Amino acid sequence: MSHLTGTFALTPCPIILGFFGLGPLTVMVLVGGILGNLDLPYPPEIIVLAVTSGSAISILLSPLIMPVITLNGANGLSGFKNGIRFNWKYALVLYVVVQIYVQLMVLW
């Protein structure tokens, strides 16, 4: 566990903000602007990948994002079912795969 870098904490930021109703583009601009001012010891590509994966997971899970709202209208199910219940396994796999790649690239 001591070998994990701080990049694993970048991905949940867009996910959490997505659950508060912020769209993926808004979150990317907000988080990217904040991270751009910090002096992080990681390559910029790794930071962008970590934040972008959080944005993609936010689109999968959040019941307040437009694709899920559109799907709600099309199939008549709730945002919770269309977002979280149907997609949580995909989101978990995406998070794990991206984090393995990010951790390997930072530590390599």
Side-chain angles (χ1 to χ4, degrees), residues 9-67:
L10 296 175
T11 302
C13 294
I15 298 170
I16 293 167
L17 292 173
F19 276 98
F20 285 110
L22 289 174
L25 184 58
T26 307
V27 170
M28 292 293 291
V29 170
L30 178 66
V31 174
I34 293 170
L35 293 175
N37 293 328
L38 299 177
D39 187 27
L40 297 174
Y42 313 115
E45 298 84 12
I46 297 298
I47 295 170
V48 169
L49 179 62
V51 174
T52 303
S53 69
S55 180
I57 293 170
S58 173
I59 293 170
L60 281 173
L61 295 178
S62 178
L64 303 173
I65 301 294
M66 188 54 67

Side-chain angles (χ1 to χ4, degrees), residues 76-97:
L77 296 175
S78 70
F80 178 79
K81 266 191 178 174
N82 283 327
I84 297 172
R85 187 166 171 220
F86 291 154
N87 294 329
W88 73 269
K89 292 176 187 174
Y90 298 113
L92 182 65
V93 168
L94 179 62
Y95 179 78
V96 169
V97 168

